C-alpha cells in the first residue's frame, strides 16, 4: 500500500497537496452548523445536476421535431427516466434556493469584506450563471411553457436601447424562435455554462482555502475560533449527510410528482399565458407595472442596478463592523429586496392561480 | 520585474542565464510576448464571435402563404387564419406555422392581413368580435381592427403584411 502511494507520489507530486487539502484546519464553530453547509450543499446540488444532465444527454434529441418526443419518452417510457429527469428538474430549483440562502448567509456574516472580495465576486457571477442555466434549460423540452417563456424572455432582452433588436436575434440565432434557437440554448446549457461554473467554483473554493473562514460574528462562535478540526472527515461528513438528505428529498418529490411536460410548442396558440420558472416570476410581474416607454426601467435599469450593486458591495461597505444588527443599512436593504421579491412572486402566483 | 526579483537558484542545479538577468532582454521578450499573445487572442476571438453570430442577423426569407379562397374569407368580419407552410429553418426543412388576421374594408374586394404577433413581447393576439378589438392575453394590450394600439404596453401597431390575390386565392407575405 505505502509503496504504491510512494510510487504515485514520486511521479505526480500530489500527495502533499492532497494531504493538505484533507487536513485543512476548519474552525470549530463551523462544525455541524447548517448555515456553513449551504455552500457545500450548493456544490453537491451542482454535482447532481451534472450527473443527471450527462445521463439525460444520452436520450435527449436537440431538434425542434424530436425534442418534445424525446423528453416525453424519458419521462414516461424509459426505465428510471422519471427519476433522472425529476432530479434534474427539481434539483434546478433546489440549486437556486440553496445558492440564494448561501449568498444570504455570507451577506449577513459580511464575509464579502476584505480580503474576501474575490470570493464574493465569483459568487455573484455564479449566481448569474445558475440563473442562466435555468433560463436555457427551460426551453429544451420544446413544450408550450418553454417555447413561450423563451419567446418573451428573448424579446425582453430586445428592450435594451439601440442594440436590442440585435441582441434578440443573436440570442435566437435568427428572427424567430426555431431550430437555431434550440441548438444555441442546448450548447449553452450543456457545454458553455457547466464549464464556466466548474471553473468559477474552483476559483471560489481556492479563495476560501486561501483566506480561511471569515471571522465569526457571535460571541459564542468567537470563543471557539481558536479550536480547529480537520476538513476530513469532520466537515465533509456534515456536508455529505446534508447532501444525501437533499438527494432523498429530490427522489421523493420526483416520485410523487412527475417533472411536468406541457403540450408541444404551438406558435399559433393565442390563449397560452407565458410564464417563466418561479424564480423569475417576480421580475415578470414587475414588468406589468411599467408599460410602454418605462419598460426598459424594469428590463434593463433595475437588473443592472442590482447586479452592479452586488458587484460593488465589497468596495462600498468597507467598515470593520460585521454584525448585521449593528449595520442597519445593509440589513435593511437586503430586507427590502427580500420583501419585494416575495410580494411580487406572490402577486404573480395569485394571478396564475 | 527586475533582476533581483528572480529567486536564487540552488548552485547544485545551476545558475540563471545572463539574458535572464538583463532588464532589457527581459522587457524585450515580455513586449514580444504581449504583442503576439494579443494578436493571437484577436485572431481566435474575432472569427469565433463571427461564427457564433452566424446568420442570426439576416432577414428571414419572405414567403407567400395561402390565406384561403376569396369566397371563404369573410367580407365583413375579421377572419383568423392559422397558416402552415413548408420552409427552411436553419438547416432543417420544417412546417412553419403562425397566425394572421384578415379583413376587408370594401366588402370583400380586397383584403388586409395583419400578423397576429403582439408587438410587445410576441404573444399571439385574439380577435374579440363583440368588442371589435384584438386583445393580447399576456399583458392586456389592445388593438383596433386595423391594428392600431388602443391601450396597454405594445409600442407599435400590429404588422401589416403584403397581400395579393391570384385566381381567387388570397396570399400574404410573411
Ligand atoms: C455554484 C455556486 C456556489 C458554490 C458551489 C459555492 C460554494 C461555496 C462553499 C463550499 C463555501 C464554503 C462553505 C460555506 O461558507 O457555506 C463558500 C463560501 C463562500 N461563498 Fe460560495 N458558492 C457558490 C455561490 C456563491 C454566491 C452566489 C455567493 C455570493 C454572491 C458566494 C459567496 C461566498 C463567500 C463570500 C464565501 C466565504 C464565506 C466565509 O468566508 O465565511 N458563493 N462557497
Ligand atoms: S405580449 Fe402582448 S401585451 Fe405583452
Amino acid at each position: 500500500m505505502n509503496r504504491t502511494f510512494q510510487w504515485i507520489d514520486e511521479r505526480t507530486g500530489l500527495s502533499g497537496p492532497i494531504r493538505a487539502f484533507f487536513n485543512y484546519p476548519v474552525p470549530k464553530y463551523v462544525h455541524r452548523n447548517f448555515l456553513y453547509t449551504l455552500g457545500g450543499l450548493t456544490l453537491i446540488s451542482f454535482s447532481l445536476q451534472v450527473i443527471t444532465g450527462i445521463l439525460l444527454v444520452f436520450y435527449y434529441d436537440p431538434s425542434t421535431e424530436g425534442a418534445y418526443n424525446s423528453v416525453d419518452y424519458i419521462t414516461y417510457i424509459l426505465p428510471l427516466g422519471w427519476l433522472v429527469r425529476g432530479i434534474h428538474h427539481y434539483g434546478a430549483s433546489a440549486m437556486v434556493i440553496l445558492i440564494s440562502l448561501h449568498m444570504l448567509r455570507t451577506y449577513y456574516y459580511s464575509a464579502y469584506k476584505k480580503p474576501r472580495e474575490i470570493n464574493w465576486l465569483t459568487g455573484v457571477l455564479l449566481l448569474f450563471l445558475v440563473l442562466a442555466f435555468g433560463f436555457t434549460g427551460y426551453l429544451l423540452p420544446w413544450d408550450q411553457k418553454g417555447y413561450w417563456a423563451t419567446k418573451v424572455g428573448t424579446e425582453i432582452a430586445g428592450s435594451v436601447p439601440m442594440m436590442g433588436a440585435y441582441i434578440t436575434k443573436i440570442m435566437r440565432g435568427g428572427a424567430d424562435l426555431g431550430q437555431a434557437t434550440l441548438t444555441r440554448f442546448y450548447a449553452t446549457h450543456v457545454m458553455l455554462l457547466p464549464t464556466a461554473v466548474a471553473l468559477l467554483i474552483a476559483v471560489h473554493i481556492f479563495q476560501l482555502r486561501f483566506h480561511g473562514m471569515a471571522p465569526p460574528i457571535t460571541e459564542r462562535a468567537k470563543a471557539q475560533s481558536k479550536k480547529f478540526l480537520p476538513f476530513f472527515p469532520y466537515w465533509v461528513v456534515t456536508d455529505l449527510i446534508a447532501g444525501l438528505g437533499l438527494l432523498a428529498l429530490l427522489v421523493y418529490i420526483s416520485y410523487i410528482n412527475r417533472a411536468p411536460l406541457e403540450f408541444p410548442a404551438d406558435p399559433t396558440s393565442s390563449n397560452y399565458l407565458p410564464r417563466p420558472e418561479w424564480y423569475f416570476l417576480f421580475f415578470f410581474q414587475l414588468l406589468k407595472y411599467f408599460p410602454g416607454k418605462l419598460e426598459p426601467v424594469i428590463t434593463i435599469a433595475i437588473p443592472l442596478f442590482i447586479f452592479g450593486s452586488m458587484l460593488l458591495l465589497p468596495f462600498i461597505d468597507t467598515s470593520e463592523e460585521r454584525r448585521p444588527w449593528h449595520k442597519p443599512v445593509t440589513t435593511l436593504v437586503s430586507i427590502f429586496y427580500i420583501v419585494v421579491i416575495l410580494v411580487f412572486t406572490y402577486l404573480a402566483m395569485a394571478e396564475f392561480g | 520585474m527586475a533582476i533581483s526579483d528572480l529567486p536564487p537558484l540552488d548552485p547544485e542545479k545551476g545558475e540563471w542565464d545572463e539574458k535572464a538577468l538583463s532588464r532589457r532582454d527581459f522587457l524585450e521578450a515580455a513586449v514580444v510576448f504581449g504583442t503576439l499573445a494579443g494578436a493571437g487572442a484577436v485572431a481566435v476571438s474575432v472569427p469565433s464571435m463571427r461564427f457564433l453570430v452566424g446568420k442570426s442577423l439576416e432577414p428571414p426569407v419572405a414567403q407567400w402563404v395561402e390565406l384561403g379562397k376569396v369566397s371563404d374569407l369573410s367580407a365583413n368580419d375579421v377572419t383568423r387564419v392559422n397558416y402552415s407552410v413548408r420552409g427552411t429553418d436553419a438547416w432543417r426543412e420544417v412546417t412553419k406555422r403562425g397566425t394572421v388576421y384578415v379583413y376587408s374594408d370594401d366588402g370583400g374586394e380586397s383584403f388586409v392581413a395583419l400578423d397576429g404577433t403582439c408587438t410587445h413581447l410576441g404573444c399571439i393576439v385574439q380577435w374579440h368580435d363583440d368588442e371589435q378589438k384584438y386583445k393580447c392575453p399576456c399583458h392586456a394590450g389592445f388593438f383596433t381592427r386595423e391594428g392600431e394600439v388602443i391601450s396597454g404596453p405594445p409600442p407599435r401597431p400590429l404588422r401589416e403584411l403584403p397581400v395579393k390575390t391570384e385566381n381567387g386565392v388570397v396570399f400574404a407575405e410573411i
Side-chain angles (χ1 to χ4, degrees), chain B residues 3-170:
Chain B
I3 303 144
S4 55
D5 285 349
L6 288 173
L9 284 187
D10 181 353
E12 295 243 319
K13 186 184 179 93
E15 58 181 1
W16 291 110
D17 188 273
E18 298 114 63
K19 243 179 165 5
L21 296 175
S22 144
R23 173 170 221 131
R24 241 194 87 145
D25 271 356
F26 174 84
L27 282 179
E28 249 173 47
V31 167
V32 170
F33 172 81
T35 316
L36 289 179
V42 171
V44 171
S45 57
V46 171
S48 303
M49 287 303 178
R50 182 64 196 89
F51 177 87
L52 281 179
V53 170
K55 287 175 167 286
S56 321
L57 300 178
E58 287 180 14
V61 188
Q63 243 179 322
W64 287 98
V65 299
E66 189 178 323
L67 300 180
K69 292 206 197 79
V70 174
S71 51
D72 291 343
L73 294 172
S74 165
N76 305 311
D77 296 330
V78 174
T79 313
R80 174 185 173 136
V81 179
N82 285 343
Y83 66 82
S84 62
V85 59
R86 289 302 280 178
T88 44
D89 173 12
W91 52 91
R92 197 172 272 277
E93 177 86 15
V94 297
T95 304
K96 291 187 180 173
R97 299 192 302 142
T99 300
V100 172
Y101 286 98
V102 196
Y103 65 88
S104 173
D105 279 330
D106 47 18
E109 281 295 311
S110 66
F111 290 90
V112 181
L114 298 177
D115 183 347
T117 309
C118 180
T119 53
H120 181 220
L121 298 179
C123 298
I124 302 292
V125 299
Q126 301 160 348
W127 171 247
H128 287 256
D129 215 26
D130 41 349
E131 298 165 55
Q132 290 288 304
K133 57 190 172 199
Y134 303 95
K135 180 180 174 189
C136 179
C138 292
H139 316 97
F142 287 94
F143 302 85
T144 64
R145 181 170 177 270
E146 287 72 36
E148 297 298 331
V149 181
I150 302 173
S151 63
R156 287 182 309 275
L158 293 176
R159 192 164 69 100
E160 188 176 335
L161 306 169
V163 175
K164 70 176 182 193
T165 309
E166 267 172 16
N167 306 326
V169 178
V170 183

Side-chain angles (χ1 to χ4, degrees), chain A residues 112-114 117 312-321:
Chain A
Y112 50 82
K113 290 194 168 173
K114 188 183 157 200
E117 294 93 334
L312 289 178
L313 174 68
F315 309 102
I316 298 171
D317 177 20
T318 51
S319 71
E320 292 282 316
E321 183 58 65

